[in-house]
Amino acid sequence: MKRITLVMNCPDQKGIIAAVTNFIHDTNGNIVYIDQYVDRVNSIFFMRVECELKEDNQSVEDFKLNFKKSVGNKYNLKTDIYLNNALPRMALFVSKYDHCLYDILGRHQSGELKIEIPFILSNHRDLKGIAERFNIPFYYVSVTKETKKAAEQEQIALLQKHKIDFIVLARYMQIISPELIQHYPNKIINIHHSFLPAFPGAKPYHSAYERGVKIIGATSHYVTEELDAGPIIEQNTTHVSHLNSIDDFIAKGRDLERIVLSKALQLHIARKVMVYQNKTVVFS
Amino acid sequence: MKRITLVMNCPDQKGIIAAVTNFIHDTNGNIVYIDQYVDRVNSIFFMRVECELKEDNQSVEDFKLNFKKSVGNKYNLKTDIYLNNALPRMALFVSKYDHCLYDILGRHQSGELKIEIPFILSNHRDLKGIAERFNIPFYYVSVTKETKKAAEQEQIALLQKHKIDFIVLARYMQIISPELIQHYPNKIINIHHSFLPAFPGAKPYHSAYERGVKIIGATSHYVTEELDAGPIIEQNTTHVSHLNSIDDFIAKGRDLERIVLSKALQLHIARKVMVYQNKTVVFS
Amino acid sequence: MKRITLVMNCPDQKGIIAAVTNFIHDTNGNIVYIDQYVDRVNSIFFMRVECELKEDNQSVEDFKLNFKKSVGNKYNLKTDIYLNNALPRMALFVSKYDHCLYDILGRHQSGELKIEIPFILSNHRDLKGIAERFNIPFYYVSVTKETKKAAEQEQIALLQKHKIDFIVLARYMQIISPELIQHYPNKIINIHHSFLPAFPGAKPYHSAYERGVKIIGATSHYVTEELDAGPIIEQNTTHVSHLNSIDDFIAKGRDLERIVLSKALQLHIARKVMVYQNKTVVFS
Amino acid sequence: MKRITLVMNCPDQKGIIAAVTNFIHDTNGNIVYIDQYVDRVNSIFFMRVECELKEDNQSVEDFKLNFKKSVGNKYNLKTDIYLNNALPRMALFVSKYDHCLYDILGRHQSGELKIEIPFILSNHRDLKGIAERFNIPFYYVSVTKETKKAAEQEQIALLQKHKIDFIVLARYMQIISPELIQHYPNKIINIHHSFLPAFPGAKPYHSAYERGVKIIGATSHYVTEELDAGPIIEQNTTHVSHLNSIDDFIAKGRDLERIVLSKALQLHIARKVMVYQNKTVVFS
């Protein structure tokens, strides 16, 4: 028995759910979870299905082909099909802050995040020791004005060599180039330290302090070419007051960032996030 | 075109989803929303389906009968089928507190709660004026030790006469008798002013103050024979501190109670709450 | 015995607290509550003191004069002194939305808001019935491009005639003119339906939906000449998902707006909000 | 210049604030922060004062003695006086769970927790490696029915030898004996994985799951002889649904536990928590 997850969307039409469930039933599959949503404004249908297949009678590749032939083409479905026990491979990009890195490695070690982490990459050497402690290869790729282009090529080579599925920017303090984004569309997850769209760009805690807000937040989103404007996966907020200094904002923010980023990771890994029109559908 | 909602559960088995979706498809229905959950510990399958039926070719009664014959019996499904534009009829029981009453009537008036309110019933006369202001019949049914039995019969008669579907206890300060509960199993919604199971019974804010908690809460649940122990529909909490007096707890609690009760109502009215083993499945 | 509240600020200096507490002690006053804060970045000292004075031996006017002479001048204190049992007089400006209006009137009636409401003013006639139901004078002052200047003068005349202390814009959909703001600096409280500074201006729920945020919020702030940019008093947020339509955003927002605005009102009425440099110090 | 913190309480009386502020002023001290609260039900006065003393003209010991003579005795004040730059010494008790341990050590390393951690003590050897990684002595003290008494004596000896000021039970799975509690009254901080008083005792996540609650929580409290019934310092909650398994409850709980315990630690370390009548006053 193997378990697979189908994630699909198409223009909304009658009969899609029956067609998909029938196909699975007819190939001796058993649906164990189904989640579905229709965006009525744009008439788009979304569905995520987990099902069990009998090991012996078909390969996943056959299933994919047959599904495409029988259902996919008819309904113009865009479908991704994943084998549940194949762990996605995640690259971790960091700079100098260690709180998100520690949090992710801790959750990984405890089995909370079902992924492989082939490497950690940084534009600084500060966090090398942490990578070593957790026995994960660490690549130092310096990024300056002059080396930017070469650095990017080095990053892409590393990502391809290690067959990386998606990238997490765990407080990586460099702007990602359009070329790298094109290699990983909706597959680069960033954590921004404000409740976007408020306070985009650098130093959001300073801006929040300056403005005198009573709540601060954190936002995890997919990286797109427009800075801090990609599809939002998860957000959370916490209260602050005049008693809190900028340092307090930053400390409270660290707790938010950890929780928001790890939640976004869990959703992405479980294939529960679907992107369209710069927004996300997030199944629960 | 008419829209119906099917709410069902049964022992978990293979092929149920395909069977249900096929039946709907084969009767020219169109599924517009599907929500499903399997309790793996107890092997129970739950599903809620909204679908559109063509007006002309069948009555809802026919649909129900055929569904039962074709699918229901085979899978041992317990199914409730509702016509979406038939407004459920809700009786409001109150005593002296008016904040939940005002809130519900306001949301009803603004169209947020899609129900009919045939009457308000109280064991006190205090809130009669509010009922009149909103043009809703008000029944005063006094409840004392001596009149308890007769009062209950009067209540049941009123509920039946007005064809009430479910009851909301909007801070009604009397214990509901087993007989009345048996008439409305999982159809009497109460708001309790604590984060149950902490502080059941009377005066929870006083108990919370006494214990020195840093959060207070409110809980909406279905009424069962065991006091404050029925299936929980919705809960929420808010922070308190040593600065807050019991009166402050009560004032903060009023805001919680309003929001928790109205949320529970919305879920119940949308047929999104399913009860089993004294717990609820709440579809989103 | 009468109780007064002193609210003061000055450049931070040594010995202020001792000087103030001594003065009160020496005039036979008894401090019942003291709250204090120093903005170390800007070296500004803030203090709020509640104290009891013996009824017979002095008038509040004498106290003010003596305080100014003995302490105020020496430390360059800006001080406001209020008699606690003198209810502040609040004008309510509304347009067509009634949820904040109902909420404020309900809290006023139940004694939660210790104010007088001499009148409700609107640029529409829609909510007149509610004003009548609560026996509060209602003034209809139409605002169009042509009548804007005259309308403003009429508003100011009404505010002065009724000796209004502060104004609440309970979803009043007109921009307040600089002249009116100058009459009531830091005394016009607005509720904005987003977590400012995100989504200023009109239709924030539509913008939030468009951007695909996962939290929405509400902000209560003092009105300044720059739109939606005044000092923030209180904010709160709630989660939304792709399942929520714009109408759901608006409905969830109504609950937030009520709670955020009423909280801001309570803080303002208790003289717990101090403004400086477009930010607020909010004592708890 | 040195900075000290005074934490005091006494029966509520007139003139205390003036007396304390005068004393500090007269000894050339400068008050930098004052926080005060009166429990009117029980007529108890609480105050926390931070002030700066000139280095040269007096020792803290002299200050304490003079304060006691001049103010303390007159008002029957119970006062604790701390030198702000003297780091409190905290012992960490753990068993097998590592998430709170990692969190505390991470915050300690980053400078967020201003304490010394002379040792980690455990009744299991599992977490020894973490202690070593952070260069903190680790003591393994086995606790069985037979060794319980001896283990306790060994613990007390270690605590005294290392001059421990307070103890944190970071998911230490043993009941603390009355004798140890008497050595550290209101100085043993526990994290309990439920929103107490709901679900005291062992396995609260299982109980919460069983009951079908829609929120789970965590509570940090001082340990008293009655299990899970000591004064509450900090609590927080998060939402759960029928979709969450017990394992999900536990995972969500880990995030709550970390944040609630670290917040309680910060408050305790800053001397902002005062205990009376099994409740806490927590200054902000």
mmCIF file of all heavy atoms in Angstrom, chain D residues 245-264:
data_model
loop_
_atom_site.group_PDB
_atom_site.id
_atom_site.type_symbol
_atom_site.label_atom_id
_atom_site.label_comp_id
_atom_site.label_asym_id
_atom_site.label_seq_id
_atom_site.Cartn_x
_atom_site.Cartn_y
_atom_site.Cartn_z
ATOM 1 N N SER D 245 -5.033 15.703 15.972
ATOM 2 C CA SER D 245 -4.864 14.498 16.785
ATOM 3 C C SER D 245 -4.209 14.869 18.112
ATOM 4 O O SER D 245 -3.804 16.009 18.327
ATOM 5 C CB SER D 245 -3.958 13.529 16.036
ATOM 6 O OG SER D 245 -2.674 14.105 15.907
ATOM 7 N N ILE D 246 -4.105 13.895 18.996
ATOM 8 C CA ILE D 246 -3.392 14.150 20.255
ATOM 9 C C ILE D 246 -1.964 14.596 19.964
ATOM 10 O O ILE D 246 -1.444 15.502 20.617
ATOM 11 C CB ILE D 246 -3.414 12.888 21.144
ATOM 12 C CG1 ILE D 246 -4.839 12.651 21.663
ATOM 13 C CG2 ILE D 246 -2.470 13.048 22.339
ATOM 14 C CD1 ILE D 246 -4.966 11.467 22.600
ATOM 15 N N ASP D 247 -1.333 14.000 18.979
ATOM 16 C CA ASP D 247 0.027 14.426 18.622
ATOM 17 C C ASP D 247 0.065 15.891 18.171
ATOM 18 O O ASP D 247 1.025 16.612 18.463
ATOM 19 C CB ASP D 247 0.596 13.532 17.504
ATOM 20 C CG ASP D 247 1.077 12.197 18.056
ATOM 21 O OD1 ASP D 247 1.153 12.054 19.299
ATOM 22 O OD2 ASP D 247 1.368 11.288 17.256
ATOM 23 N N ASP D 248 -0.959 16.317 17.461
ATOM 24 C CA ASP D 248 -1.032 17.728 17.070
ATOM 25 C C ASP D 248 -1.199 18.620 18.297
ATOM 26 O O ASP D 248 -0.606 19.690 18.380
ATOM 27 C CB ASP D 248 -2.218 17.962 16.121
ATOM 28 C CG ASP D 248 -2.067 17.241 14.797
ATOM 29 O OD1 ASP D 248 -0.922 17.001 14.376
ATOM 30 O OD2 ASP D 248 -3.097 16.916 14.184
ATOM 31 N N PHE D 249 -2.046 18.169 19.226
ATOM 32 C CA PHE D 249 -2.203 18.914 20.480
ATOM 33 C C PHE D 249 -0.834 19.090 21.148
ATOM 34 O O PHE D 249 -0.474 20.173 21.600
ATOM 35 C CB PHE D 249 -3.126 18.168 21.452
ATOM 36 C CG PHE D 249 -4.597 18.388 21.237
ATOM 37 C CD1 PHE D 249 -5.142 18.455 19.958
ATOM 38 C CD2 PHE D 249 -5.465 18.513 22.311
ATOM 39 C CE1 PHE D 249 -6.509 18.636 19.758
ATOM 40 C CE2 PHE D 249 -6.824 18.704 22.134
ATOM 41 C CZ PHE D 249 -7.350 18.765 20.857
ATOM 42 N N ILE D 250 -0.092 17.998 21.205
ATOM 43 C CA ILE D 250 1.213 18.027 21.878
ATOM 44 C C ILE D 250 2.175 18.965 21.141
ATOM 45 O O ILE D 250 2.895 19.749 21.765
ATOM 46 C CB ILE D 250 1.782 16.596 21.977
ATOM 47 C CG1 ILE D 250 0.924 15.777 22.958
ATOM 48 C CG2 ILE D 250 3.248 16.607 22.421
ATOM 49 C CD1 ILE D 250 1.244 14.288 22.983
ATOM 50 N N ALA D 251 2.157 18.923 19.806
ATOM 51 C CA ALA D 251 3.052 19.790 19.029
ATOM 52 C C ALA D 251 2.678 21.255 19.188
ATOM 53 O O ALA D 251 3.539 22.114 19.408
ATOM 54 C CB ALA D 251 3.020 19.390 17.547
ATOM 55 N N LYS D 252 1.383 21.569 19.100
ATOM 56 C CA LYS D 252 0.952 22.950 19.311
ATOM 57 C C LYS D 252 1.268 23.381 20.743
ATOM 58 O O LYS D 252 1.618 24.540 21.005
ATOM 59 C CB LYS D 252 -0.557 23.083 19.081
ATOM 60 C CG LYS D 252 -0.955 23.191 17.620
ATOM 61 C CD LYS D 252 -2.478 23.138 17.468
ATOM 62 C CE LYS D 252 -2.908 23.626 16.092
ATOM 63 N NZ LYS D 252 -3.621 24.917 16.136
ATOM 64 N N GLY D 253 1.102 22.440 21.656
ATOM 65 C CA GLY D 253 1.376 22.729 23.059
ATOM 66 C C GLY D 253 2.840 23.084 23.284
ATOM 67 O O GLY D 253 3.153 23.959 24.089
ATOM 68 N N ARG D 254 3.729 22.414 22.570
ATOM 69 C CA ARG D 254 5.161 22.725 22.749
ATOM 70 C C ARG D 254 5.432 24.207 22.480
ATOM 71 O O ARG D 254 6.189 24.847 23.214
ATOM 72 C CB ARG D 254 6.003 21.865 21.802
ATOM 73 C CG ARG D 254 6.266 20.460 22.315
ATOM 74 C CD ARG D 254 7.430 19.797 21.576
ATOM 75 N NE ARG D 254 7.150 19.577 20.176
ATOM 76 C CZ ARG D 254 6.703 18.422 19.655
ATOM 77 N NH1 ARG D 254 6.495 17.364 20.430
ATOM 78 N NH2 ARG D 254 6.482 18.307 18.371
ATOM 79 N N ASP D 255 4.804 24.738 21.421
ATOM 80 C CA ASP D 255 5.003 26.163 21.123
ATOM 81 C C ASP D 255 4.465 27.047 22.243
ATOM 82 O O ASP D 255 5.079 28.040 22.612
ATOM 83 C CB ASP D 255 4.309 26.522 19.793
ATOM 84 C CG ASP D 255 5.097 26.027 18.585
ATOM 85 O OD1 ASP D 255 6.318 25.815 18.725
ATOM 86 O OD2 ASP D 255 4.496 25.845 17.518
ATOM 87 N N LEU D 256 3.297 26.679 22.758
ATOM 88 C CA LEU D 256 2.722 27.437 23.874
ATOM 89 C C LEU D 256 3.612 27.366 25.105
ATOM 90 O O LEU D 256 3.864 28.372 25.769
ATOM 91 C CB LEU D 256 1.359 26.863 24.249
ATOM 92 C CG LEU D 256 0.134 27.299 23.479
ATOM 93 C CD1 LEU D 256 -1.075 26.564 24.008
ATOM 94 C CD2 LEU D 256 -0.072 28.797 23.587
ATOM 95 N N GLU D 257 4.065 26.152 25.436
ATOM 96 C CA GLU D 257 4.854 25.957 26.657
ATOM 97 C C GLU D 257 6.117 26.806 26.639
ATOM 98 O O GLU D 257 6.466 27.450 27.631
ATOM 99 C CB GLU D 257 5.230 24.477 26.801
ATOM 100 C CG GLU D 257 4.051 23.570 27.087
ATOM 101 C CD GLU D 257 4.376 22.112 26.811
ATOM 102 O OE1 GLU D 257 5.544 21.717 26.993
ATOM 103 O OE2 GLU D 257 3.465 21.364 26.397
ATOM 104 N N ARG D 258 6.806 26.784 25.507
ATOM 105 C CA ARG D 258 8.024 27.578 25.376
ATOM 106 C C ARG D 258 7.764 29.048 25.654
ATOM 107 O O ARG D 258 8.496 29.701 26.384
ATOM 108 C CB ARG D 258 8.545 27.466 23.936
ATOM 109 C CG ARG D 258 9.373 26.243 23.667
ATOM 110 C CD ARG D 258 10.028 26.326 22.303
ATOM 111 N NE ARG D 258 9.102 25.904 21.261
ATOM 112 C CZ ARG D 258 9.290 24.850 20.468
ATOM 113 N NH1 ARG D 258 10.384 24.121 20.585
ATOM 114 N NH2 ARG D 258 8.418 24.522 19.543
ATOM 115 N N ILE D 259 6.712 29.570 25.034
ATOM 116 C CA ILE D 259 6.462 31.010 25.127
ATOM 117 C C ILE D 259 5.958 31.389 26.509
ATOM 118 O O ILE D 259 6.357 32.403 27.073
ATOM 119 C CB ILE D 259 5.477 31.419 24.010
ATOM 120 C CG1 ILE D 259 6.276 31.518 22.709
ATOM 121 C CG2 ILE D 259 4.784 32.730 24.322
ATOM 122 C CD1 ILE D 259 5.450 31.764 21.490
ATOM 123 N N VAL D 260 5.093 30.567 27.077
ATOM 124 C CA VAL D 260 4.545 30.882 28.398
ATOM 125 C C VAL D 260 5.637 30.775 29.461
ATOM 126 O O VAL D 260 5.764 31.652 30.328
ATOM 127 C CB VAL D 260 3.355 29.950 28.723
ATOM 128 C CG1 VAL D 260 2.952 30.072 30.191
ATOM 129 C CG2 VAL D 260 2.172 30.288 27.822
ATOM 130 N N LEU D 261 6.450 29.729 29.397
ATOM 131 C CA LEU D 261 7.496 29.569 30.406
ATOM 132 C C LEU D 261 8.535 30.680 30.291
ATOM 133 O O LEU D 261 8.955 31.263 31.296
ATOM 134 C CB LEU D 261 8.165 28.193 30.282
ATOM 135 C CG LEU D 261 9.287 27.924 31.285
ATOM 136 C CD1 LEU D 261 8.827 28.126 32.726
ATOM 137 C CD2 LEU D 261 9.842 26.507 31.116
ATOM 138 N N SER D 262 8.942 31.022 29.067
ATOM 139 C CA SER D 262 9.990 32.045 28.949
ATOM 140 C C SER D 262 9.456 33.406 29.396
ATOM 141 O O SER D 262 10.176 34.201 29.987
ATOM 142 C CB SER D 262 10.546 32.105 27.525
ATOM 143 O OG SER D 262 9.623 32.696 26.663
ATOM 144 N N LYS D 263 8.174 33.664 29.145
ATOM 145 C CA LYS D 263 7.573 34.916 29.616
ATOM 146 C C LYS D 263 7.549 34.953 31.136
ATOM 147 O O LYS D 263 7.884 35.976 31.750
ATOM 148 C CB LYS D 263 6.142 35.044 29.053
ATOM 149 C CG LYS D 263 5.410 36.317 29.458
ATOM 150 C CD LYS D 263 6.005 37.537 28.766
ATOM 151 C CE LYS D 263 5.627 38.836 29.440
ATOM 152 N NZ LYS D 263 4.404 39.444 28.999
ATOM 153 N N ALA D 264 7.162 33.844 31.753
ATOM 154 C CA ALA D 264 7.137 33.788 33.225
ATOM 155 C C ALA D 264 8.535 34.001 33.793
ATOM 156 O O ALA D 264 8.719 34.713 34.782
ATOM 157 C CB ALA D 264 6.561 32.450 33.682
#
